[in-house]
């Protein structure tokens, strides 16, 4: 790695945000009948934001581990 860790992490966060906004939201909207999150990127973002708030207020219990809370939506899939 040629950049300081904080600098590389900052760019990674921005790239994840850009991919979410430019790639994932439109794809979810295009397949709205399958995912049932909404019909457009703004509506889907609103649904995800509400889900995150709900999980923060009321984490879901799991049988063998910690509850699933709002942080589960923030963690990259390889960290789960």
């Amino acid at each position: 790695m040629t950049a300081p860790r904080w600098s590389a992490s900052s760019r990674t966060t921005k790239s994840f945000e850009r991919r979410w906004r430019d790639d994932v939201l439109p794809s979810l909207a295009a397949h709205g009948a399958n995912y049932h999150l909404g019909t457009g990127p703004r509506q889907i973002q609103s649904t995800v934001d509400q889900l995150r708030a709900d999980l923060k207020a009321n984490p879901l219990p799991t049988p063998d581990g910690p509850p699933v809370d709002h942080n589960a939506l923030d963690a990259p899939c390889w960290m789960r």
Side-chain angles (χ1 to χ4, degrees):
M1 184 181 278
T2 59
R5 184 172 178 85
W6 66 268
S7 176
S9 295
S10 173
R11 286 193 307 271
T12 301
T13 301
K14 290 176 186 175
S15 67
F16 277 113
E17 178 62 30
R18 185 176 60 248
R19 291 294 305 266
W20 170 256
R21 183 186 64 241
D22 295 346
D23 297 332
V24 177
L25 286 176
S27 179
L28 290 171
H31 301 282
N34 295 327
Y35 296 110
H36 307 285
L37 296 172
T39 57
R42 286 186 182 170
Q43 187 180 22
I44 292 168
Q45 184 65 59
S46 178
T47 300
V48 171
D49 291 343
Q50 185 61 52
L51 175 60
R52 190 176 191 286
D54 292 347
L55 285 172
K56 185 175 185 179
N58 300 299
L60 296 173
T62 60
D64 297 323
V68 176
D69 63 8
H70 63 289
N71 291 315
L73 297 179
D74 296 337
C77 61
W78 63 82
M79 294 181 68
R80 293 186 195 145

